[in-house]
Amino acid sequence: MDAHSRGQADEIDPADQWVLNPQTGNYELRLNHSAGQSPSQSRPRGATTPGPRTAEGPGSRSAQRSRTTGAPTEAPVPGQRRRRAPEGPGGPASGPPQPGRRKRKPAKSRKKKALLWTGGTMALVLVAGGVGVYAYYDHLNGNINKVDVVGAGSTGFKKDQAVNILLIGTDKRTGDGNEGYGDKNSPGHADTTILFHVSKDRTNATAMSIPRDLKTEIPECQTKMPDGSIKTIPGQADERFNVSLGQSDRDPGCTMRTVKELTGLTVDHFMMADFNAVKEMTTAVGGVKVCLVKPVKDKDSKLDLPAGESTIQGEQALAFVRTRHSFGNESDLDRIKIQQQFLSSMIRQMKSDETLTSPSKLLDLAEAATNALTVDSGIGSIAKLKSLAEELAKIDTKNITFTTLPVIDNPAEKVKATVVPDPTKAPQLFAMLQSDTSLTEVKKKQQDAKNAQAALLKGARATAREVRVDVYNGSGITGAAQKTLDWLQNEQGVTRSTNKSNAPEKAAKTTLTYAPNQADQARKLADLMGLPATALKPGTQDAEALAPMTLVLGSDFKGAGVPITGPAKAPEGAQTADKKVCAE
């Protein structure tokens, strides 16, 4: 139902725009609350409002309904919602409801009820939960495309567990005006893929982009064919990630399995959108603000924008996220950065008051989102999406971090056309996601450690020969204390060091405990061993002359002479959704 341009719809309850004409028995859209309704503006009782759809094949829901009944199944049209009568001094006034009266705009404290996250896919829940129109609710349910991913994902999600959702943008060329994009004869690829990890406590989320040109293993997978049969598709080793979808009849479940093979994380659900989704969603929200360092006029993508801030929607929005030749070094990795900036801006727009307080925009968004999305059957209803959105609504934009899977150029290629996971950084990021570690918290700890380290380094240092330290082994590694002692004495000149054998109990982290009057010794030892500031534990009372410091090697000990790192590092370039960044 397009209420966006119908008079003063922003201030009218969406349900009250439909009234029953007793002469015809039909529900009619009231454009002017004082004027009559023309026949062209009425619809039969039970008619639904079709939204823009991509091309449908013989197996689509609408085609199946037509074959069964000869015409699309009609759902009841929303009736007019009863209003509460005005209250007088003695309580609610008697008398009939007043359907023509405008609703008061919601109070400021009630405006931000939910966070409409990445790409606006959850816009529909505000409509479904807010307008109270059950027929329209059913209509939105009918819009949603569902895929039964055989053996992939989970049956649902629990409120006390982390959730992993795979957001897939396919380059399949369906819909009007998309002939110039993607591969003309292809069923589509996983062109843009983001693993959206939502923390167990719902305080933060990480959106990790996976490059389409990443070489990885695509495991064997099963897909349900149009006739209901199950097809087993053999796996492929050392293949581009983007062929995990569409090619050889692979469905999104195959992409979900590929991500699990790559990251070690079980993907619970997927949401897939095509080119039309970008155009329809950005138009529905009234445009998305983007910022450019310099003007762009790209003949391939047709992107034409000035320097500074612009608001884009429709074809321009699609051109912005598709262009490869306007930013950075024209690689897919730089295009990913642009897409992350775009999605961050769209999240902010979705959460803005101008969106959340506009019934017409919310209705447009609900139509666009449900028409454009394909999801797994585990979340393939408004009720399930609404439940998921209520969980996502708890996350502040400052705690949604966009990052990209760390990669290096493929060493097997002379001409660098593909990438492979960075052998050091990628496992670290996967480990943080597997342990449900917040990247925003990691970045904060990094900064705290850096500040503490800077304060520590300001003081004076003792010489190596002046350092006195007792070494305890709490690492669980046999011989760690002796190897460290040998390294300190023979290679670093810390001759006044002693092996005290095993610590009383196993230690998770390496620590150096020292007295205030030993701070110069602690700084020197920290320099030699690469200890972070978080490992240094100063006491409150000075030590006696010749007393040693206490060094306990923890589970983070990697070997004598190997620096003890500080808190885990967030990937380079990680950016939170609340930050405005200009593309360059």
Side-chain angles (χ1 to χ4, degrees), residues 21-87:
N21 187 330
Q23 297 178 348
T24 64
N26 293 336
Y27 281 95
E28 300 174 358
L29 179 65
R30 186 206 312 249
L31 300 186
N32 185 316
H33 283 247
S34 61
Q37 190 80 4
S38 69
S40 64
Q41 295 166 339
S42 67
R43 65 170 76 184
R45 182 193 303 267
T48 60
T49 305
R53 298 298 298 262
T54 56
E56 297 186 359
S60 66
R61 286 190 304 276
S62 61
Q64 290 169 353
R65 287 197 296 266
S66 296
R67 286 197 298 268
T68 303
T69 65
T73 303
E74 296 181 346
V77 168
Q80 188 171 11
R81 194 162 40 172
R82 291 181 60 85
R83 293 185 178 276
R84 180 180 299 174
E87 295 186 4

Side-chain angles (χ1 to χ4, degrees), residues 291-313:
C291 177
L292 277 64
V293 171
K294 59 184 179 181
V296 168
K297 193 167 187 177
D298 189 331
K299 61 182 180 64
D300 293 325
S301 67
K302 306 298 188 295
L303 181 65
D304 187 359
L305 292 175
E309 189 175 273
S310 299
T311 299
I312 58 175
Q313 62 184 35

Side-chain angles (χ1 to χ4, degrees), residues 244-267:
S244 64
L245 175 72
Q247 312 305 300
S248 304
D249 291 324
R250 291 189 178 95
D251 67 8
C254 296
T255 309
M256 294 167 74
R257 291 184 185 87
T258 302
V259 172
K260 181 178 181 179
E261 186 77 20
L262 175 66
T263 66
L265 289 159
T266 296
V267 180

